[in-house]
Amino acid sequence: MPGRKLKLLIIDQKAGIHRVLSFDTNEPVSIGRDAENLVVLNAHSVSRKHALIEPAPDGWVIKDCSSLGTSRNGEPLQKEAPVLLENGDTLEFPGHEIKVTLEVGAEQEQDAAVQLEDLVRDLEEDKPTAHIRVMQGDVEQGAVALGGEGSRLMIGRSAECEIRIDDPMRLISGMHAKVERDWAGVFIYDLSRNGVFVNGIRINDVAPLKNGDRVTLVIAEEGEDRPVLLFEDESGSEEPPEGAIGEPDQEQEEPMPESEQEEEPATESTPEPEPPVQPDQPESTPTPAGVKSSRPPSGGGGVLFLIMIIIVLVAVGALIFAGLKLFS
Protein backbone atom coordinates (compact mmCIF):
# COMPACT_ATOMS: atom_id res chain seq x y z
CA MET A 1 0.00 0.00 0.00
CA PRO A 2 1.88 3.14 -1.20
CA GLY A 3 2.65 5.82 1.35
CA ARG A 4 2.29 3.45 4.30
CA LYS A 5 4.68 4.35 7.15
CA LEU A 6 6.17 2.06 9.76
CA LYS A 7 7.65 3.40 13.00
CA LEU A 8 9.54 1.17 15.42
CA LEU A 9 10.46 2.08 18.99
CA ILE A 10 13.42 -0.17 19.89
CA ILE A 11 14.05 -0.67 23.63
CA ASP A 12 17.28 -2.20 24.96
CA GLN A 13 15.99 -3.63 28.25
CA LYS A 14 19.40 -4.26 29.80
CA ALA A 15 21.01 -0.92 28.99
CA GLY A 16 17.78 1.06 29.32
CA ILE A 17 18.33 2.73 25.92
CA HIS A 18 15.59 3.37 23.38
CA ARG A 19 15.56 4.71 19.83
CA VAL A 20 12.96 5.35 17.12
CA LEU A 21 13.33 4.28 13.48
CA SER A 22 10.87 5.23 10.70
CA PHE A 23 10.38 3.47 7.38
CA ASP A 24 8.18 5.08 4.71
CA THR A 25 9.13 2.81 1.80
CA ASN A 26 7.76 -0.54 0.75
CA GLU A 27 11.09 -2.30 1.26
CA PRO A 28 11.43 -5.18 3.78
CA VAL A 29 12.87 -4.29 7.18
CA SER A 30 15.36 -6.86 8.49
CA ILE A 31 16.03 -7.27 12.21
CA GLY A 32 19.02 -9.06 13.75
CA ARG A 33 22.50 -8.96 15.25
CA ASP A 34 24.35 -8.52 11.98
CA ALA A 35 25.34 -4.95 11.10
CA GLU A 36 23.76 -5.28 7.64
CA ASN A 37 20.25 -5.34 9.11
CA LEU A 38 18.15 -2.19 9.06
CA VAL A 39 17.36 -2.77 12.74
CA VAL A 40 20.43 -3.99 14.66
CA LEU A 41 19.90 -5.60 18.08
CA ASN A 42 23.17 -5.87 19.95
CA ALA A 43 22.78 -9.10 21.96
CA HIS A 44 24.47 -12.49 21.65
CA SER A 45 21.14 -14.31 21.95
CA VAL A 46 19.78 -12.48 18.89
CA SER A 47 20.34 -14.31 15.59
CA ARG A 48 22.28 -12.65 12.78
CA LYS A 49 19.00 -12.41 10.85
CA HIS A 50 16.35 -12.79 13.51
CA ALA A 51 13.13 -11.52 11.89
CA LEU A 52 11.82 -9.77 8.79
CA ILE A 53 9.02 -7.19 8.48
CA GLU A 54 7.60 -7.01 4.95
CA PRO A 55 4.86 -4.94 3.29
CA ALA A 56 1.66 -6.75 2.40
CA PRO A 57 -1.64 -5.77 0.71
CA ASP A 58 -3.28 -5.31 4.10
CA GLY A 59 -0.35 -3.64 5.85
CA TRP A 60 2.89 -5.08 7.26
CA VAL A 61 3.64 -8.68 8.23
CA ILE A 62 6.45 -10.12 10.38
CA LYS A 63 8.22 -13.46 9.97
CA ASP A 64 10.45 -15.16 12.53
CA CYS A 65 13.75 -16.34 11.00
CA SER A 66 15.62 -17.17 14.21
CA SER A 67 16.56 -20.25 16.20
CA LEU A 68 15.49 -18.87 19.60
CA GLY A 69 12.16 -17.43 18.46
CA THR A 70 10.25 -14.15 18.38
CA SER A 71 7.05 -13.23 20.24
CA ARG A 72 4.25 -10.81 19.39
CA ASN A 73 2.27 -9.49 22.36
CA GLY A 74 3.54 -12.41 24.44
CA GLU A 75 2.61 -15.09 21.88
CA PRO A 76 5.48 -16.98 20.14
CA LEU A 77 5.49 -16.75 16.34
CA GLN A 78 5.76 -19.80 14.14
CA LYS A 79 8.99 -19.81 12.22
CA GLU A 80 8.74 -18.39 8.67
CA ALA A 81 4.94 -17.93 9.07
CA PRO A 82 3.90 -14.32 8.24
CA VAL A 83 1.71 -12.60 10.84
CA LEU A 84 -0.10 -9.32 10.15
CA LEU A 85 1.05 -6.48 12.40
CA GLU A 86 -1.38 -4.12 14.08
CA ASN A 87 -0.85 -0.65 15.42
CA GLY A 88 0.46 -0.84 19.00
CA ASP A 89 1.88 -4.37 18.73
CA THR A 90 4.87 -5.27 20.93
CA LEU A 91 7.53 -7.57 19.49
CA GLU A 92 9.76 -9.42 21.97
CA PHE A 93 13.36 -10.40 21.20
CA PRO A 94 16.11 -11.57 23.59
CA GLY A 95 16.94 -8.52 25.71
CA HIS A 96 14.88 -6.17 23.51
CA GLU A 97 11.35 -4.99 22.81
CA ILE A 98 10.07 -3.28 19.67
CA LYS A 99 6.81 -1.31 19.80
CA VAL A 100 5.08 -0.92 16.43
CA THR A 101 3.31 2.23 15.21
CA LEU A 102 1.52 2.04 11.85
CA GLU A 103 0.50 5.17 10.00
CA VAL A 104 -1.99 4.22 7.29
CA GLY A 105 -3.34 7.62 6.30
CA ALA A 106 -2.90 11.37 6.63
CA GLU A 107 -5.83 11.67 9.03
CA GLN A 108 -4.22 9.16 11.41
CA GLU A 109 -0.71 10.65 11.22
CA GLN A 110 -1.25 13.22 13.94
CA ASP A 111 -2.81 10.72 16.36
CA ALA A 112 0.02 8.24 15.82
CA ALA A 113 2.62 10.94 16.41
CA VAL A 114 0.94 11.97 19.65
CA GLN A 115 0.83 8.35 20.82
CA LEU A 116 4.51 7.90 20.02
CA GLU A 117 5.46 11.08 21.87
CA ASP A 118 3.49 9.95 24.92
CA LEU A 119 5.22 6.59 24.81
CA VAL A 120 8.66 8.20 24.54
CA ARG A 121 7.84 10.53 27.43
CA ASP A 122 6.78 7.59 29.60
CA LEU A 123 10.00 5.78 28.77
CA GLU A 124 12.02 8.90 29.61
CA GLU A 125 10.39 8.95 33.04
CA ASP A 126 11.31 5.26 33.55
CA LYS A 127 14.85 5.71 32.22
CA PRO A 128 17.38 4.16 34.60
CA THR A 129 19.00 6.73 36.86
CA ALA A 130 21.19 4.35 38.90
CA HIS A 131 24.37 2.52 37.93
CA ILE A 132 26.80 0.19 39.63
CA ARG A 133 30.37 0.71 38.49
CA VAL A 134 32.93 -2.06 39.01
CA MET A 135 36.19 -0.41 40.05
CA GLN A 136 39.62 -2.05 40.29
CA GLY A 137 41.71 0.58 42.00
CA ASP A 138 41.08 3.77 40.02
CA VAL A 139 40.22 1.89 36.82
CA GLU A 140 36.59 1.26 35.88
CA GLN A 141 36.08 -2.32 34.70
CA GLY A 142 32.46 -1.83 33.64
CA ALA A 143 29.09 -0.41 34.61
CA VAL A 144 25.59 -1.89 34.79
CA ALA A 145 22.36 0.15 34.84
CA LEU A 146 19.59 -0.45 37.35
CA GLY A 147 16.11 0.11 35.94
CA GLY A 148 12.90 1.25 37.57
CA GLU A 149 10.82 -0.22 40.35
CA GLY A 150 11.02 -4.02 40.47
CA SER A 151 14.35 -4.22 38.63
CA ARG A 152 17.26 -6.09 40.19
CA LEU A 153 20.90 -7.02 39.60
CA MET A 154 22.62 -10.20 40.78
CA ILE A 155 26.26 -10.06 41.91
CA GLY A 156 28.52 -13.08 42.23
CA ARG A 157 30.75 -15.66 40.63
CA SER A 158 28.03 -17.31 38.53
CA ALA A 159 27.75 -16.65 34.81
CA GLU A 160 24.05 -15.89 35.39
CA CYS A 161 24.89 -12.73 37.38
CA GLU A 162 24.61 -9.34 35.72
CA ILE A 163 27.73 -8.31 37.66
CA ARG A 164 30.09 -11.28 37.46
CA ILE A 165 33.26 -11.30 39.55
CA ASP A 166 35.96 -13.92 39.03
CA ASP A 167 37.33 -15.47 42.21
CA PRO A 168 39.72 -18.45 41.93
CA MET A 169 39.71 -18.79 45.76
CA ARG A 170 35.91 -19.33 45.68
CA LEU A 171 35.41 -16.98 48.62
CA ILE A 172 32.73 -15.15 46.64
CA SER A 173 29.52 -17.16 46.30
CA GLY A 174 27.90 -17.98 42.98
CA MET A 175 25.00 -15.69 43.92
CA HIS A 176 26.66 -13.48 46.51
CA ALA A 177 24.40 -10.42 46.64
CA LYS A 178 21.32 -8.84 45.06
CA VAL A 179 20.58 -5.16 44.39
CA GLU A 180 16.88 -4.39 43.97
CA ARG A 181 14.77 -1.25 43.54
CA ASP A 182 11.29 -1.00 45.03
CA TRP A 183 8.94 1.83 45.95
CA ALA A 184 11.05 2.68 49.00
CA GLY A 185 14.41 2.96 47.25
CA VAL A 186 17.39 0.78 46.31
CA PHE A 187 18.48 -2.02 48.63
CA ILE A 188 21.31 -4.56 48.66
CA TYR A 189 20.75 -8.07 50.04
CA ASP A 190 23.46 -10.38 51.39
CA LEU A 191 22.92 -13.91 50.03
CA SER A 192 26.35 -15.23 51.05
CA ARG A 193 28.21 -16.75 53.98
CA ASN A 194 31.28 -14.52 53.81
CA GLY A 195 29.50 -11.19 53.91
CA VAL A 196 28.71 -7.96 52.06
CA PHE A 197 30.16 -4.64 53.25
CA VAL A 198 28.84 -1.13 52.55
CA ASN A 199 31.37 1.60 53.27
CA GLY A 200 33.37 -0.88 55.35
CA ILE A 201 30.43 -1.99 57.50
CA ARG A 202 29.05 -5.52 57.20
CA ILE A 203 25.32 -5.48 56.51
CA ASN A 204 22.83 -7.62 58.35
CA ASP A 205 20.92 -9.37 55.54
CA VAL A 206 19.74 -6.13 53.84
CA ALA A 207 20.71 -2.47 53.74
CA PRO A 208 19.65 0.62 51.72
CA LEU A 209 22.02 2.08 49.13
CA LYS A 210 22.55 5.80 48.58
CA ASN A 211 24.52 7.72 46.00
CA GLY A 212 28.27 7.23 46.44
CA ASP A 213 28.12 4.06 48.53
CA ARG A 214 31.04 1.66 48.06
CA VAL A 215 30.37 -2.07 48.28
CA THR A 216 32.96 -4.78 48.89
CA LEU A 217 32.55 -8.53 49.14
CA VAL A 218 34.08 -10.93 51.70
CA ILE A 219 36.59 -8.34 53.03
CA ALA A 220 35.66 -4.92 54.38
CA GLU A 221 38.87 -3.14 53.40
CA GLU A 222 39.37 -1.97 49.83
CA GLY A 223 42.49 -3.04 47.93
CA GLU A 224 44.11 -2.71 44.56
CA ASP A 225 43.56 -6.41 43.89
CA ARG A 226 39.92 -6.47 45.02
CA PRO A 227 36.96 -5.05 43.07
CA VAL A 228 34.85 -2.28 44.58
CA LEU A 229 31.25 -1.71 43.47
CA LEU A 230 30.47 2.01 43.34
CA PHE A 231 26.76 2.86 43.49
CA GLU A 232 25.68 6.02 41.66
CA ASP A 233 22.09 7.28 41.71
CA GLU A 234 21.34 10.34 39.58
CA SER A 235 17.93 10.71 41.20
CA GLY A 236 19.67 11.88 44.39
CA SER A 237 18.32 9.31 46.85
CA GLU A 238 17.98 10.57 50.38
CA GLU A 239 20.16 9.48 53.25
CA PRO A 240 18.90 6.21 54.76
CA PRO A 241 17.42 6.51 58.24
CA GLU A 242 19.83 6.10 61.12
CA GLY A 243 20.34 2.47 62.01
CA ALA A 244 19.18 1.18 58.62
CA ILE A 245 22.64 -0.21 57.91
CA GLY A 246 23.87 -2.94 60.21
CA GLU A 247 26.46 -2.17 62.88
CA PRO A 248 30.00 -3.44 62.23
CA ASP A 249 30.87 -6.82 63.59
CA GLN A 250 33.18 -6.88 66.59
CA GLU A 251 35.41 -9.37 64.84
CA GLN A 252 35.31 -10.43 61.20
CA GLU A 253 35.47 -14.18 60.85
CA GLU A 254 38.05 -15.64 58.52
CA PRO A 255 36.26 -16.15 55.16
CA MET A 256 35.94 -19.74 54.04
CA PRO A 257 35.92 -21.03 50.47
CA GLU A 258 32.44 -21.92 49.35
CA SER A 259 33.41 -25.59 48.82
CA GLU A 260 34.36 -25.89 52.51
CA GLN A 261 31.24 -24.23 53.81
CA GLU A 262 29.23 -27.20 54.93
CA GLU A 263 26.38 -26.87 57.26
CA GLU A 264 26.87 -28.50 60.61
CA PRO A 265 24.63 -31.53 60.98
CA ALA A 266 21.74 -30.88 63.24
CA THR A 267 22.22 -32.77 66.51
CA GLU A 268 19.12 -34.21 68.00
CA SER A 269 18.89 -33.53 71.69
CA THR A 270 18.32 -36.72 73.69
CA PRO A 271 15.75 -36.09 76.37
CA GLU A 272 16.83 -36.97 79.87
CA PRO A 273 15.10 -40.12 81.18
CA GLU A 274 12.28 -39.35 83.51
CA PRO A 275 12.46 -40.91 86.98
CA PRO A 276 10.22 -43.97 87.42
CA VAL A 277 6.80 -43.17 88.72
CA GLN A 278 6.41 -44.37 92.29
CA PRO A 279 3.00 -45.64 93.39
CA ASP A 280 1.19 -43.34 95.72
CA GLN A 281 1.78 -44.30 99.32
CA PRO A 282 -1.06 -43.81 101.77
CA GLU A 283 -0.40 -41.03 104.13
CA SER A 284 0.39 -42.30 107.59
CA THR A 285 -1.94 -41.08 110.29
CA PRO A 286 -0.05 -40.31 113.45
CA THR A 287 -1.06 -42.58 116.36
CA PRO A 288 -1.70 -40.84 119.67
CA ALA A 289 0.72 -41.67 122.46
CA GLY A 290 -0.32 -44.74 124.48
CA VAL A 291 -2.67 -46.05 121.76
CA LYS A 292 -1.68 -49.08 119.68
CA SER A 293 -2.31 -48.92 115.98
CA SER A 294 -4.91 -51.37 114.62
CA ARG A 295 -3.18 -51.51 111.25
CA PRO A 296 -1.44 -54.83 110.71
CA PRO A 297 2.32 -54.60 110.81
CA SER A 298 4.11 -54.38 107.51
CA GLY A 299 6.73 -56.73 106.14
CA GLY A 300 7.27 -60.04 108.05
CA GLY A 301 4.87 -59.07 110.88
CA GLY A 302 2.02 -58.92 108.36
CA VAL A 303 2.63 -62.50 107.18
CA LEU A 304 2.67 -63.82 110.77
CA PHE A 305 -0.58 -62.05 111.53
CA LEU A 306 -2.20 -63.67 108.47
CA ILE A 307 -1.04 -67.17 109.55
CA MET A 308 -2.55 -66.68 113.02
CA ILE A 309 -5.94 -65.74 111.51
CA ILE A 310 -5.89 -68.87 109.33
CA ILE A 311 -5.11 -71.11 112.38
CA VAL A 312 -7.98 -69.58 114.36
CA LEU A 313 -10.42 -70.09 111.48
CA VAL A 314 -9.37 -73.74 111.10
CA ALA A 315 -9.80 -74.34 114.85
CA VAL A 316 -13.26 -72.79 114.88
CA GLY A 317 -14.26 -74.84 111.87
CA ALA A 318 -13.06 -78.06 113.59
CA LEU A 319 -15.10 -77.31 116.74
CA ILE A 320 -18.24 -76.68 114.72
CA PHE A 321 -17.77 -79.90 112.79
CA ALA A 322 -17.26 -81.90 116.07
CA GLY A 323 -20.39 -80.36 117.60
CA LEU A 324 -22.54 -81.28 114.62
CA LYS A 325 -21.25 -84.86 114.69
CA LEU A 326 -21.99 -85.17 118.46
CA PHE A 327 -25.66 -84.19 118.09
CA SER A 328 -26.31 -86.30 115.03
Side-chain angles (χ1 to χ4, degrees):
M1 188 179 294
R4 180 180 298 273
K5 292 183 179 181
L6 173 69
K7 284 191 177 182
L8 303 178
L9 177 63
I10 299 102
I11 304 168
D12 187 329
Q13 295 172 322
K14 186 174 183 179
I17 301 173
H18 62 273
R19 52 200 168 100
V20 177
L21 298 178
S22 298
F23 304 93
D24 54 4
T25 66
N26 291 328
E27 297 297 325
V29 178
S30 57
I31 304 171
R33 191 177 76 244
D34 197 281
E36 296 180 357
N37 292 289
L38 294 179
V39 178
V40 179
L41 303 181
N42 187 17
H44 292 293
S45 300
V46 176
S47 301
R48 294 183 181 276
K49 184 178 180 182
H50 201 99
L52 186 66
I53 298 178
E54 297 178 306
D58 296 332
W60 294 85
V61 295
I62 182 171
K63 291 194 300 184
D64 175 39
C65 309
S66 69
S67 56
L68 295 180
T70 305
S71 296
R72 170 179 169 266
N73 301 328
E75 296 292 332
L77 300 177
Q78 294 184 3
K79 191 169 183 178
E80 300 294 344
V83 176
L84 184 66
L85 288 175
E86 296 182 2
N87 189 43
D89 277 351
T90 299
L91 306 177
E92 292 96 7
F93 301 85
H96 294 76
E97 279 188 356
I98 295 180
K99 296 187 180 294
V100 178
T101 300
L102 299 177
E103 300 177 1
V104 295
E107 58 186 20
Q108 297 182 359
E109 184 173 352
Q110 186 175 359
D111 292 340
V114 171
Q115 292 178 5
L116 188 59
E117 289 176 1
D118 292 342
L119 183 58
V120 171
R121 185 169 53 253
D122 293 341
L123 289 172
E124 285 288 348
E125 293 176 355
D126 296 336
K127 185 178 179 180
T129 57
H131 295 80
I132 295 180
R133 304 190 184 278
V134 182
M135 309 294 295
Q136 192 85 24
D138 295 331
V139 180
E140 181 178 326
Q141 303 293 326
V144 181
L146 179 67
E149 182 176 337
S151 59
R152 68 175 186 178
L153 299 174
M154 301 302 297
I155 305 170
R157 209 178 62 249
S158 172
E160 299 179 3
C161 294
E162 287 79 9
I163 301 178
R164 184 172 182 269
I165 300 177
D166 293 327
D167 179 24
M169 300 296 294
R170 299 177 65 86
L171 298 176
I172 296 176
S173 302
M175 297 287 185
H176 198 98
K178 176 180 68 171
V179 176
E180 190 170 36
R181 184 194 292 275
D182 62 18
W183 64 271
V186 180
F187 296 85
I188 184 168
Y189 296 80
D190 184 4
L191 310 178
S192 71
R193 287 181 176 272
N194 288 332
V196 174
F197 300 81
V198 177
N199 301 326
I201 300 176
R202 184 167 184 170
I203 70 173
N204 185 16
D205 295 333
V206 60
L209 286 178
K210 63 182 185 301
N211 186 38
D213 278 346
R214 302 174 72 87
V215 178
T216 56
L217 309 180
V218 179
I219 299 176
E221 294 79 13
E222 299 182 13
E224 294 292 331
D225 58 339
R226 295 190 292 273
V228 177
L229 307 180
L230 176 62
F231 178 70
E232 295 182 349
D233 191 357
E234 299 173 5
S235 64
S237 58
E238 299 179 356
E239 291 281 338
E242 185 177 354
I245 299 179
E247 296 296 329
D249 293 342
Q250 297 297 328
E251 294 184 2
Q252 180 183 344
E253 298 180 357
E254 187 70 21
M256 294 178 56
E258 194 175 54
S259 58
E260 298 180 8
Q261 296 172 356
E262 298 181 358
E263 296 184 0
E264 297 182 359
T267 56
E268 297 183 359
S269 58
T270 305
E272 296 182 0
E274 297 181 358
V277 179
Q278 299 290 341
D280 295 337
Q281 301 291 339
E283 297 182 359
S284 59
T285 305
T287 305
V291 180
K292 295 184 178 180
S293 174
S294 60
R295 185 171 58 187
S298 59
V303 176
L304 182 60
F305 181 75
L306 182 61
I307 294 174
M308 292 176 61
I309 292 178
I310 294 174
I311 294 174
V312 172
L313 292 177
V314 171
V316 172
L319 290 175
I320 294 174
F321 178 76
L324 294 175
K325 189 174 181 181
L326 181 61
F327 288 106
S328 60

